[in-house]
Amino acid sequence: ILNVEQSPQSLHVQEGDSTNFTCSFPSSNFYALHWYRWETAKSPEALFVMTLNGDEKKKGRISATLNTKEGYSYLYIKGSQPEDSATYLCAFKDNYGQNFVFGPGTRLSVLP
Amino acid sequence: GAVVSQHPSWVICKSGTSVKIECRSLDFQATTMFWYRQFPKQSLMLMATSNEGSKATYEQGVEKDKFLINHASLTLSTLTVTSAHPEDSSFYICSARDRDMTGGLYNSPLHFGNGTRLTVT
């Protein structure tokens, strides 16, 4: 059974603060890692698809890095805004099968 | 683009009845759809993989006779919870992969429905 962990479980920051959180996954047989943002009452929305060790992706104020050798990915949000409040999920896939394993998510609340 | 419509958003049913949840890709074709269940404060847990025109592949521990999956077309998959019991109360959500996305099958993101909150009384 593949184990994907995310930390912290939840996070409260003030508007304007920068923040980051972690996704940990098995360091062997890596294939791909996805990040999703899941706002309440909406569907999870894809942020990043990461496939190569050392990948860095950016989308506006949000960026992510990937270290497949040590099995972690960081998601950074610069200058958090209330609309960034959501649960951020990572999903890991190894070289076998077609399924992604999801982490439990990090719930971010940005206070105005 | 890449919208997945899931219905109903919530449903309350009596123990022993069956409930059908639909997941429809509106603007793309999905040869594969995934069904997940999520209990409070836990991860999305894959229940089964639904392939168009063939039988679904169930994860270990998921009863295929209880959770019937049908993927009759490239845009529609259904999950039927048969003879529902209170312990089946949960959040169910589907995702789909766009058949025509470039970049490799697993290098394209999943597109999710909004989920269905099932409460069995």
Side-chain angles (χ1 to χ4, degrees):
Chain A
I1 297 177
L2 299 175
N3 193 32
V4 179
E5 298 177 347
Q6 291 187 247
S7 63
Q9 185 177 54
S10 64
L11 191 57
H12 297 262
V13 301
Q14 289 293 136
E15 182 175 355
D17 287 351
S18 293
T19 186
N20 64 86
F21 24 92
T22 308
C23 173
S24 302
F25 50 84
S27 58
S28 57
N29 301 308
F30 176 89
Y31 189 92
L33 186 89
H34 293 183
W35 279 100
Y36 294 87
R37 174 170 58 203
W38 194 359
E39 295 179 65
T40 303
K42 295 187 178 180
S43 56
E45 171 196 357
L47 288 174
F48 303 114
V49 172
M50 310 185 82
T51 57
L52 297 175
N53 183 44
D55 252 357
E56 291 188 27
K57 301 255 176 150
K58 188 175 181 182
K59 188 176 183 177
R61 294 179 290 99
I62 305 176
S63 60
T65 61
L66 179 67
N67 184 324
T68 62
K69 297 191 185 307
E70 295 183 41
Y72 65 83
S73 175
Y74 293 141
L75 190 79
Y76 300 90
I77 302 178
K78 184 178 178 182
S80 303
Q81 299 297 309
E83 57 264 30
D84 296 328
S85 297
T87 296
Y88 291 82
L89 300 176
C90 65
F92 165 81
K93 185 190 173 309
D94 66 9
N95 283 322
Y96 309 105
Q98 59 175 330
N99 303 324
F100 282 84
V101 176
F102 283 81
T106 293
R107 177 170 288 190
L108 173 67
S109 296
V110 182
L111 307 173
Chain B
V3 176
V4 174
S5 175
Q6 184 173 343
H7 292 283
S9 298
W10 59 270
V11 58
I12 302 173
C13 70
K14 291 188 176 179
S15 188
T17 61
S18 295
V19 173
K20 180 185 280 189
I21 302 170
E22 284 192 357
C23 184
R24 197 180 294 270
S25 57
L26 297 185
D27 49 4
F28 66 98
Q29 293 185 326
T31 51
T32 303
M33 290 188 176
F34 302 94
W35 287 95
Y36 308 85
R37 180 167 52 183
Q38 185 183 39
F39 292 108
K41 297 190 177 181
Q42 295 189 19
S43 309
L44 292 177
M45 295 300 296
L46 182 67
M47 298 174 67
T49 301
S50 167
N51 296 298
E52 186 265 337
S54 65
K55 290 183 180 179
T57 304
Y58 289 83
E59 295 300 297
Q60 194 172 10
V62 178
E63 298 175 60
K64 62 181 179 181
D65 294 330
K66 181 168 187 60
F67 299 100
L68 300 179
I69 290 173
N70 184 279
H71 195 154
S73 75
L74 284 171
T75 59
L76 175 64
S77 177
T78 60
L79 167 69
T80 301
V81 183
T82 62
S83 187
H85 290 286
E87 57 264 30
D88 298 323
S89 298
S90 187
F91 182 79
Y92 295 85
I93 190 168
C94 65
S95 72
R97 181 173 290 126
D98 186 342
R99 182 186 72 167
D100 297 324
M101 273 297 283
T102 57
L105 187 58
Y106 304 112
N107 295 341
S108 58
L110 297 169
H111 306 293
F112 285 85
N114 275 18
T116 299
R117 174 75 57 191
L118 170 64
T119 302
V120 185
T121 60

